[in-house]
Amino acid sequence: PKEGPPLLWKKLIGGGHASFTVAGQLAFTLEQQEENEVVIAVSINDGSIKWSYEYPAKFKEYFGGIGPRTNPLWNDGLLYTMGAMGHLHCFDSNSGKLLWKKTLTEENKVKPPYWGVSASPVIHQDKLFVTPGGNQDNAIMALDKKTGEKKWSTLNGDQTYSTPALLNLSNKLQLVVSVKSKVVGLDPG
């Protein structure tokens, strides 16, 4: 139609830069609401909130504004979110039940980057890859996607704003990751 497509539903959300991830009948995102980051699951049929989870965290930067910067990741019925201050959560995506959580910036004794944690997690097989930065061979980490337990970590350096990528290079699958001043290709295992 000349006036555009009909509006099916509309939902106001809080601040931040996270996109939506859609799985089944739900759309997931992260938002800032006052002093808390909030993970929400919204019905794609009517925009109603099916579940939400909030935790105390507020990232604010003058030029970039407030709120989370990463995109939620859905895999095998689980939802992973990374907040702007380094809060990593794993949920049952249907119920919103929290399965495990970590604050990677605290664990690795690093500060969030100037513009906030912006690298989304990535999954390959049973591993969840995150790039919190660190100086104890822990700048890049592989966690068990179901439990959050560390499987391995490597390299030193500050995190960047770039999400790791799984790429087939020279006929070999590689996890390509940047940490400050370098880019590396790793065997994701």
Side-chain angles (χ1 to χ4, degrees), residues 6-7 9 22 44 50 74 77 86 100 119 121 123 143 146 159 164:
L7 180 66
W9 56 270
V22 177
I44 62 169
K50 296 303 179 185
W74 183 93
W100 56 265
I123 284 185
L143 308 176
K146 291 183 180 176
Q159 63 178 288

Side-chain angles (χ1 to χ4, degrees), residues 20-69:
F20 280 86
T21 296
V22 177
Q25 299 296 304
L26 295 175
F28 307 95
T29 196
L30 290 129
E31 61 184 29
Q32 188 73 49
Q33 291 186 7
E34 298 180 12
E35 301 301 313
N36 296 323
E37 285 184 339
V38 181
V39 180
I40 61 169
V42 177
S43 167
I44 62 169
N45 297 312
D46 61 11
S48 62
I49 294 179
K50 296 303 179 185
W51 62 262
S52 67
Y53 178 87
E54 63 183 75
Y55 55 94
K58 184 172 186 177
F59 181 83
K60 184 176 183 181
E61 189 282 316
Y62 181 75
F63 291 107
I66 64 170
R69 274 95 166 104

Side-chain angles (χ1 to χ4, degrees), residues 121-138:
V122 172
I123 284 185
H124 176 65
Q125 296 174 348
D126 63 341
K127 291 182 268 322
L128 178 76
F129 299 107
V130 291
T131 56
N135 293 307
Q136 297 173 354
D137 292 323
N138 58 356

Side-chain angles (χ1 to χ4, degrees), residues 3-189:
E3 62 279 354
L7 180 66
L8 300 178
W9 56 270
K10 181 177 176 179
K11 171 77 180 106
L12 296 176
I13 61 171
H17 301 278
S19 293
F20 280 86
T21 296
V22 177
Q25 299 296 304
L26 295 175
F28 307 95
T29 196
L30 290 129
E31 61 184 29
Q32 188 73 49
Q33 291 186 7
E34 298 180 12
E35 301 301 313
N36 296 323
E37 285 184 339
V38 181
V39 180
I40 61 169
V42 177
S43 167
I44 62 169
N45 297 312
D46 61 11
S48 62
I49 294 179
K50 296 303 179 185
W51 62 262
S52 67
Y53 178 87
E54 63 183 75
Y55 55 94
K58 184 172 186 177
F59 181 83
K60 184 176 183 181
E61 189 282 316
Y62 181 75
F63 291 107
I66 64 170
R69 274 95 166 104
T70 66
N71 297 327
L73 172 65
W74 183 93
N75 180 269
D76 290 338
L78 301 178
L79 183 75
Y80 304 88
T81 61
M82 176 76 77
M85 300 295 288
H87 296 91
L88 175 64
H89 293 88
C90 175
F91 302 93
D92 175 284
S93 64
N94 288 321
S95 69
K97 178 183 177 187
L98 177 66
L99 302 177
W100 56 265
K101 66 181 179 176
K102 293 179 168 290
T103 304
L104 295 174
T105 48
E106 288 179 12
E107 286 184 23
N108 282 20
K109 298 180 175 87
V110 296
K111 292 183 179 181
Y114 182 78
W115 301 101
V117 174
S118 301
S120 299
V122 172
I123 284 185
H124 176 65
Q125 296 174 348
D126 63 341
K127 291 182 268 322
L128 178 76
F129 299 107
V130 291
T131 56
N135 293 307
Q136 297 173 354
D137 292 323
N138 58 356
I140 301 166
M141 300 170 69
L143 308 176
D144 182 291
K145 73 177 188 177
K146 291 183 180 176
T147 66
E149 294 299 316
K150 183 164 68 170
K151 289 181 162 260
W152 57 257
S153 65
T154 190
L155 296 178
N156 294 312
D158 296 334
Q159 63 178 288
T160 64
Y161 304 105
S162 176
T163 296
L166 286 165
L167 303 171
N168 192 332
L169 302 172
S170 299
N171 294 318
K172 182 161 181 64
L173 185 65
Q174 297 183 34
L175 178 69
V176 179
V177 183
S178 68
V179 291
K180 192 170 184 178
S181 302
K182 64 186 146 220
V183 176
V184 299
L186 302 170
D187 182 345

